[in-house]
Amino acid sequence: MKLNIALLAGDGIGPEVIDQAVKVSNAVASKFGHEITWKPALTGATAIDAVGEPYPDETHEICKSSDAVLFGAIGHPKFDNDPSAKVRPEQGLLKMRKALGLFANVRPTFTFPSLLDKSPLKKERIEGTDLVFLRELTGGIYFGEKGRREEGETAYDNCVYTREEVKRLAKKGFELAMTRGKKLCCVDKANVLETSRLWRETVQAMEKDYPEVEVSYEFVDAVAMRLVQWPNSYDVLITENLFGDILTDEASVISGSMGLMPSASLGSDIGLFEPIHGSYPQAAGKNIANPMATVLSAAMMFENFSLHAEGKAIREVVNKALNEGMVTEDLADGGKSYGTSEVGDWLASNI
Ligand code: IPM
Ligand code: MN
């Protein structure tokens, strides 16, 4: 297969972790007889510094003419403590999600047998956890009308959902549940929010089309608690944009390191694959960041092209590295650790 992949390294540790995912993907391509053309493009703070905006038209053109986008990370501290900044790196990611129609963010959480002791949660609670969040990605409070009064005393962010937006996300959720444990949890705040009542009503009306799927409805605050109490009781969880943002960071802790969790954003022909972690500016340029979440995002990318053996080869080599202690310092527990690029080289050469 010939693949054109837009490569958006972004900010902070983005370029370092992306390099490793490229190495591993190239190793997979040569093993399975594929040809990947990488097309680098600017995004985030890096793009603001270079051309004044976080998702330049040129980058969008490159993404649109590619088969998929592999993304590193976005964000820079110089913007975080400046509430008056008009242009922000994060706007680039939001604009890209919207422009590419990526309404479904797939965020799996699973445990690695060799890392059960790394999680802050007790082993017996997390053992066997294998859940997937489907986070709605182009609606809700992230994209509703925003405003700040001239006097600067009042600010608002509107949360808006249409039935159609809920339906298309829920449909993906039901379909995903059918390929897995056949359980679907709709996470909302229907005791308070009208948008949540629309979510619940819409999902309830779809239940009859998927009689084999066991559907539950839980409030987001309760899920925040149950997620760390009984993570292995969940299969597929669907939720709106902001709840999904928060809960997936929480869920990433279950696996032992945020540096391990990949994601896919889907909705149109062009998928976006990225680690769920941020740009980790303190580690930028130090060759210490864990590249595995980005490498596993590349596995999701292959799988989305129905190249399942290729995805599996990546997952297996990551497992092998974890079993053999070929890990960055976040997973080394003070023991021997390796640099970002050493881990990447090892993964690529063991494919
Ligand atoms: C994420 C990030 C983004 C989000 C930021 C960087 C805009 O936190 O992908 O989860 O909030 O969606
Ligand atoms: Mn987030």
Side-chain angles (χ1 to χ4, degrees):
M1 199 177 211
K2 276 193 178 10
L3 297 169
N4 285 315
I5 311 293
L7 198 59
L8 275 56
D11 307 324
I13 58 168
E16 295 162 65
V17 292
I18 276 285
D19 277 353
Q20 315 318 315
V22 168
K23 280 181 203 166
V24 175
S25 301
N26 284 339
V28 169
S30 81
K31 177 166 175 177
F32 290 86
H34 306 300
E35 200 182 300
I36 306 182
T37 307
W38 301 99
K39 301 194 214 157
L42 290 173
T43 189
T46 315
I48 297 178
D49 290 344
V51 296
E53 46 179 320
Y55 184 61
D57 290 346
E58 197 191 337
T59 298
H60 183 55
E61 289 310 315
I62 291 176
C63 292
K64 257 186 14 195
S65 62
S66 300
D67 300 307
V69 182
L70 191 61
F71 192 92
I74 210 161
H76 191 285
K78 73 181 172 196
F79 296 94
D80 294 343
N81 296 320
D82 178 9
S84 67
K86 290 269 174 305
V87 188
R88 306 182 158 272
E90 290 77 7
Q91 290 162 349
L93 188 54
L94 301 182
K95 196 171 159 193
M96 172 164 60
R97 288 170 177 169
K98 196 77 170 176
L100 295 175
L102 305 170
F103 65 85
N105 188 211
V106 186
R107 295 191 166 185
T109 293
F110 43 90
T111 49
F112 299 86
S114 58
L115 293 183
L116 287 174
D117 296 328
K118 296 282 186 304
S119 172
L121 302 177
K122 291 198 186 84
K123 187 175 163 175
E124 55 274 24
R125 293 208 179 256
I126 60 171
E127 219 158 18
T129 296
D130 179 10
L131 58 86
V132 187
F133 272 95
L134 262 187
R135 166 190 175 194
E136 202 290 327
L137 205 55
T138 52
I141 201 164
Y142 273 61
F143 289 91
E145 189 199 348
K146 299 179 184 304
R148 187 180 259 278
R149 269 210 337 225
E150 262 168 38
E151 307 87 72
E153 294 305 309
T154 307
Y156 60 84
D157 300 278
N158 278 351
C159 183
V160 183
Y161 270 108
T162 65
R163 191 181 302 275
E164 205 40 51
E165 284 173 323
V166 180
K167 227 176 180 170
R168 64 185 184 180
L169 193 275
K171 182 166 182 281
K172 280 201 183 290
F174 275 109
E175 285 168 1
L176 184 61
M178 283 302 290
T179 67
R180 301 174 35 102
K182 300 199 167 98
K183 286 204 301 190
L184 183 76
C185 177
C186 174
V187 184
D188 62 33
K189 188 73 185 171
N191 51 346
V192 178
L193 302 176
E194 197 53 41
T195 41
S196 283
R197 289 192 274 272
L198 178 68
W199 269 73
R200 206 172 263 222
E201 191 185 298
T202 307
V203 176
Q204 277 169 346
M206 294 171 79
E207 278 187 39
K208 61 176 185 333
D209 301 328
Y210 304 89
E212 284 175 56
V213 178
E214 182 194 322
V215 186
S216 64
Y217 299 86
E218 293 180 33
F219 297 140
V220 61
D221 46 354
V223 173
M225 185 177 69
R226 270 194 56 193
L227 198 54
V228 285
Q229 279 183 317
W230 309 112
N232 51 20
S233 68
Y234 290 112
D235 180 23
V236 177
L237 301 99
I238 53 172
T239 193
E240 63 95 57
N241 206 343
L242 183 63
F243 296 163
D245 179 47
I246 297 167
L247 291 178
T248 53
D249 265 31
E250 185 191 358
S252 75
V253 172
I254 296 166
S255 71
S257 170
M258 206 183 192
L260 290 169
M261 290 294 114
S263 82
S265 301
L266 309 173
S268 66
D269 294 345
I270 305 154
L272 168 82
F273 301 86
E274 58 170 322
I276 84 155
H277 61 69
S279 60
Y280 191 13
Q282 306 87 321
K286 293 190 181 151
N287 197 36
I288 57 172
N290 188 343
M292 286 176 176
T294 317
V295 170
L296 289 170
S297 300
M300 291 184 88
M301 178 180 82
F302 282 108
E303 288 159 357
N304 197 49
F305 291 125
S306 294
L307 300 174
H308 295 285
E310 290 77 346
K312 191 162 172 237
I314 297 182
R315 293 179 191 280
E316 280 174 359
V317 81
V318 166
N319 270 324
K320 188 165 181 238
L322 294 173
N323 287 335
E324 296 183 16
M326 177 45 73
V327 294
T328 41
E329 65 178 26
D330 54 312
L331 293 176
D333 249 351
K336 176 124 188 70
S337 69
Y338 298 84
T340 309
S341 58
E342 284 70 46
V343 172
D345 288 340
W346 191 94
L347 293 172
S349 62
N350 279 274
I351 281 287

